Each structure stands twice: as structure tokens, then as C-alpha cells.
Amino acid sequence: LPALRNRGIGTAALRLLFTQINKPCVLEADPPVTEIAARRIAFYALLGFELWNRDYIQPAYSKGKRPLHLRLMVRGPLTEIRDCGRTVKTLYKEVYGLNHALRDDAPFAGF
């Protein structure tokens, strides 16, 4: 909600999360083509997230919906060159329940 922005709530929540887990964090972000998208990316970057420059296809949430072209942001020891393909496959399988995530012809093959 716009009325709740810039109050430190998101920063505090994420910092609390980081104290409770010791694993890489991955999030999906809109490409930085609008002012609000660029501001969100800058917010996450201040918290240690790195924007990966490869396009990422977020699967459609339900029938009739379209997949979205997004980017991934990562906090932790993952690198884009070494870990992008594995990270996307994990997202597809564990978050979206897509079993085809292990196929070589999946939409992210070649990451």
C-alpha cells in the first residue's frame, strides 16, 4: 500500500528474515523499465540483493493467465553464470510445482 511505503517495515521484515535463515534468498522482480520497478530493485539492492541480467519467465498462476517476463534478484553466494539454470529449475519445481522443470526443453533451458 502506498500509505505504508517508506516506513521501514519491509526493511525490518527482511532483516529479521535474514537473521533467522542462513541460506540464499531469491526473489522475482519486474525488469527495471518503469520508475517504480527501478525503485523496488534499488530497495532490494540496498539489502544485499543482486539483480541478474537474464530474462526469467514466471509461470502463469492459473489457466487463462499469461506467464510474466521478470528478472531474478539473489542475496547470498549464488552467481548468475554458475547458478542461474539450477536456481530457475528449483523455482519451477519447488515453488510452482512444475515437474517439467527437469526437462532440457523447458522454457529456461540454456540459462
Side-chain angles (χ1 to χ4, degrees):
L1 297 172
L4 297 177
R5 289 189 185 132
N6 298 315
R7 293 185 175 197
I9 298 168
T11 299
L14 286 170
R15 287 190 174 146
L16 178 62
L17 173 70
F18 301 151
T19 66
Q20 295 182 13
I21 63 169
N22 190 24
K23 295 184 178 186
C25 293
V26 178
L27 58 87
E28 300 164 329
D30 289 316
V33 295
T34 66
E35 181 182 341
I36 191 70
R39 288 182 64 199
R40 286 186 186 125
I41 288 169
F43 167 76
Y44 289 115
L46 288 173
L47 291 166
F49 284 86
E50 175 188 349
L51 178 67
W52 284 358
N53 290 316
R54 299 179 191 208
D55 288 334
Y56 162 75
I57 306 295
Q58 179 194 61
Y61 278 160
S62 60
K63 274 194 169 182
K65 300 282 185 179
R66 301 183 87 174
L68 296 175
H69 290 268
L70 301 176
R71 295 280 180 84
L72 293 179
M73 294 190 76
V74 177
R75 183 180 190 274
L78 301 175
T79 66
E80 183 175 352
I81 292 171
R82 183 188 67 222
D83 301 306
C84 189
R86 182 170 48 96
T87 300
V88 172
K89 286 181 181 184
T90 299
L91 286 170
Y92 271 46
K93 183 178 178 188
E94 302 296 331
V95 175
Y96 295 103
L98 299 175
N99 292 327
H100 74 276
L102 302 177
R103 292 189 348 221
D104 288 337
D105 62 343
F108 50 82
F111 271 98

